[in-house]
Every structure is written in structure tokens, then in C-alpha cells.
Amino acid sequence: MIVCVAGPIAAGKNYVCSILAERGFFCLDADQEIHKIIGEKQAEILSRFSQIAASRGINLRAADGSLDRRALGKLLFKDRTLLAEQEKILYPEFVARVQVLIDAEKEASQKPKGFTDQNAAADFSQPEGCGISNNFINAQEGGATGIESKPKTAGENYSQAQDAAQKPKGFTDQNAAADFGRPESFGITNNSINAQEGGVTEIAGKPKIAHGSVQPIAVGQPARGLAINAALLYKTPSLLRQCQKIIYVDAPLLVRAWRIRRRDRLPFAQIFRRIKSQKGLLQEYQRFAADYGIEMVRVWNWGRGVARRRRF
């Protein structure tokens, strides 16, 4: 299943994604992925906006010459035309990256669990349904590393079968990521779905790979679905159309304002400007869901608690 987790600022989208991750979903934080893409494209962004920024008394370069993201935000979020131009730079790459995950999820959801071929089960001297799916044996794209020929003994067969069963579906190593046409920096590897939020995964014998906001999934557990945490996914309709469900997370305005204040230490005037900038967000998703027949649920998040988690 592919789910969009949307909603206004400080409504609790990350919290909802943490619950989905506990239930086996792979959770992608769109904000962190966009943040990475800005870093990769900072030369293009500086080239496009530096002159305009200078004319408005804003310096887009930090002391070390890199892009000053705070200054960029000050420039763009007061001018929707410029903001739209930045989105044209960033969104195509973002769409391409997320589409890889969507394609992998669609492929994984079409594959039955356990052995699907009686001969394959017999070859491994294992009963059907022992938890080793065909993609592990046949090395289909997106599956685990292939076993090209049968080992010599039944014991070796069983050992390899056990090794394969411990690997989650999807990307299994840097080569698998390359097979999907994805740069390694996207962080989708055999361990990425087990990474702690904002952490770094180390693969034996390979470089460490940084991750975005990825919630942990138990080792050996294939993801049950993909959750895309993105307030503005409606701006990339090609992605949102492929979601089976939209979970719109909301919270009372004053609750959200207090959360922002506590988290970002901003003055209330700036906080309410941020909140106001997202006016009409719910209606955008309601229209999209109606137009494309996508199930949409609105979840009110007043705060953390066991009872609220159970209701969710």
C-alpha cells in the first residue's frame, strides 16, 4: 500500500509516520529529501537567485561560500513566483527519486509471500511457505542477491535459504540500488529500512550511508507499504495519484502554534504567518481525493498517548 501522510505544519505527521513504521511501513520524509536535493543543486540555485537576492539586500552565500538556506527562505517565501521557480528546479529530481520507491513497492506488493513455486521449495529441501520468496531465489530486480546455481548439498541449500530469508525485500545493497537507476546517496539499502531517524547505516565492507527520516523496521521484515510524509505532495500530482490513501493529520491552531514555538523558538507573529501560508491545504487534498477516487481520512492529533495510538 502507498500512503500519503499530509497536513499542516506541526500537526503531527512525523508522529503518525512513527505509528505506521511500527506497523511495518517504510516512511520517507519529503522535507529531508528536498533538503538533500537543495544541497546537491545549490550551485544552480545560487546562479538563479543570487542577483535577485542582492537587489533586495539579501546575501545567499554563507561565510564559507555555501548556500545560506535561511536567507534563501527569506527570499522565496515572500515571493510565490520565485518559490515556484525553485520548485521547478527541485521537484523533477524529487519525483524521480520517490517514483523509484513507488515502483519498488508496487512490485513487492504483487509478489506472494513464501515459496510460489513447488519446484523451488523442493530444490531447497524446504516446505512451501517457509518465508523465502521467489525474488530471493531468482534474483528478480529489487529482490535479494541471486543464487545462480544450486549448492552441492542439502545442508548448504538450507544455509543459503536461511541467509536469504533474513534479507528484506526491495533494495539489498549498493548494486541493487544501481539496478534501479538510483544514486547510492538516496540511502535505500538493505539496512536503510532499519535505520534510526536521521541516523547513518554502516554496511560491512562498504561506506556508511546517511539516511533521512526513516523509521525502524525489524530486521528480516519486508515493508508492508510505503508512507510518504509530505505536506505539499499535491504539488507533485504524478506521485499523489498513485497513493491508495491520504491520511490528513490535523490539530487545533493554538496547539500547532505552541508546538512550533516550543520546537523552533520563533516569535508568534512569524509562527502565525507560517500557519496562514498553508490556508486551504485541506481543501486541496479533499479536491484531489475526490477527483481521483483516493480514500482520504482526517486524523486529529491532540498529543501523544497510548489511548490515542490505539484509536489511530
Side-chain angles (χ1 to χ4, degrees):
M1 171 177 270
I2 302 167
V3 175
C4 167
V5 179
I9 184 172
K13 296 183 292 295
N14 289 342
Y15 177 53
V16 170
C17 280
S18 73
I19 299 173
L20 291 173
E22 288 174 4
R23 300 182 182 186
F25 277 75
F26 179 96
C27 298
L28 172 72
D29 188 318
D31 285 346
Q32 291 198 15
E33 199 57 42
I34 288 290
H35 190 79
K36 273 194 281 185
I37 296 171
I38 289 174
E40 295 165 8
K41 292 185 175 288
Q42 64 174 323
E44 184 177 352
I45 292 170
L46 285 168
S47 174
R48 174 64 189 86
F49 297 114
S50 287
Q51 188 173 351
I52 297 173
S55 70
R56 301 181 184 182
I58 299 173
N59 181 12
L60 292 185
R61 291 188 181 274
D64 61 359
S66 63
L67 176 66
D68 186 332
R69 300 182 190 223
R70 188 178 294 273
L72 179 65
K74 184 178 178 181
L75 172 70
L76 298 182
F77 290 103
K78 291 182 179 180
D79 190 323
R80 292 192 174 186
T81 301
L82 294 181
L83 181 60
E85 288 189 34
Q86 182 192 234
E87 289 171 352
K88 289 180 181 178
I89 295 173
L90 304 179
Y91 281 4
E93 176 63 17
F94 174 73
V95 169
R97 295 184 180 194
V98 178
Q99 188 61 54
V100 171
L101 287 179
I102 289 175
D103 290 344
E105 167 57 26
K106 288 179 177 178
E107 180 182 359
S109 67
Q110 293 171 359
K111 295 177 181 178
K113 296 180 180 179
F115 281 106
T116 56
D117 187 320
Q118 292 180 344
N119 292 330
D123 286 345
F124 278 84
S125 302
Q126 293 296 309
E128 293 186 51
C130 73
I132 307 166
S133 57
N134 266 352
N135 64 313
F136 291 131
I137 300 165
N138 301 324
Q140 295 175 357
E141 185 178 45
T145 302
I147 301 170
E148 296 180 358
S149 60
K150 287 193 299 178
K152 293 180 180 180
T153 69
E156 290 170 348
N157 283 338
Y158 181 68
S159 176
Q160 288 203 21
Q162 284 185 313
D163 290 341
Q166 296 303 313
K167 297 182 180 180
K169 295 180 182 178
F171 296 95
T172 59
D173 56 23
Q174 291 163 321
N175 293 330
D179 289 343
F180 273 82
R182 290 293 304 109
E184 293 172 10
S185 62
F186 193 41
I188 306 304
T189 67
N190 62 325
N191 285 329
S192 68
I193 58 175
N194 304 319
Q196 296 295 330
E197 181 174 351
V200 174
T201 293
E202 183 173 6
I203 302 172
K206 296 177 182 175
K208 291 184 179 181
I209 299 176
H211 302 282
S213 178
V214 179
Q215 302 297 336
I217 297 175
V219 175
Q221 294 276 343
R224 290 178 59 189
L226 170 65
I228 306 169
N229 178 355
L232 304 178
L233 199 65
Y234 74 90
K235 289 193 172 185
T236 53
S238 66
L239 298 178
L240 186 55
R241 280 197 299 267
Q242 298 177 76
C243 295
Q244 283 90 44
K245 179 176 287 189
I246 297 170
I247 300 176
Y248 190 91
V249 188
D250 212 342
L253 186 147
L254 292 179
V255 173
R256 292 166 48 214
W258 178 247
R259 288 173 182 166
I260 298 170
R261 172 73 172 182
R262 186 174 55 187
R263 182 187 68 191
D264 300 335
R265 306 293 181 187
L266 297 174
F268 278 109
Q270 187 175 349
I271 289 171
F272 283 106
R273 281 198 299 270
R274 284 190 175 189
I275 291 174
K276 186 179 179 181
S277 71
Q278 294 184 325
K279 184 179 179 180
L281 186 65
L282 174 62
Q283 289 72 28
E284 290 284 358
Y285 280 101
Q286 287 174 330
R287 281 194 293 269
F288 201 102
D291 288 346
Y292 292 96
I294 302 172
E295 180 186 359
M296 178 172 169
V297 294
R298 189 178 185 186
V299 176
W300 283 92
N301 174 31
W302 291 80
R304 295 175 182 251
V306 174
R308 280 181 286 273
R309 294 177 77 85
R310 286 175 179 171
R311 285 200 298 272
F312 177 79

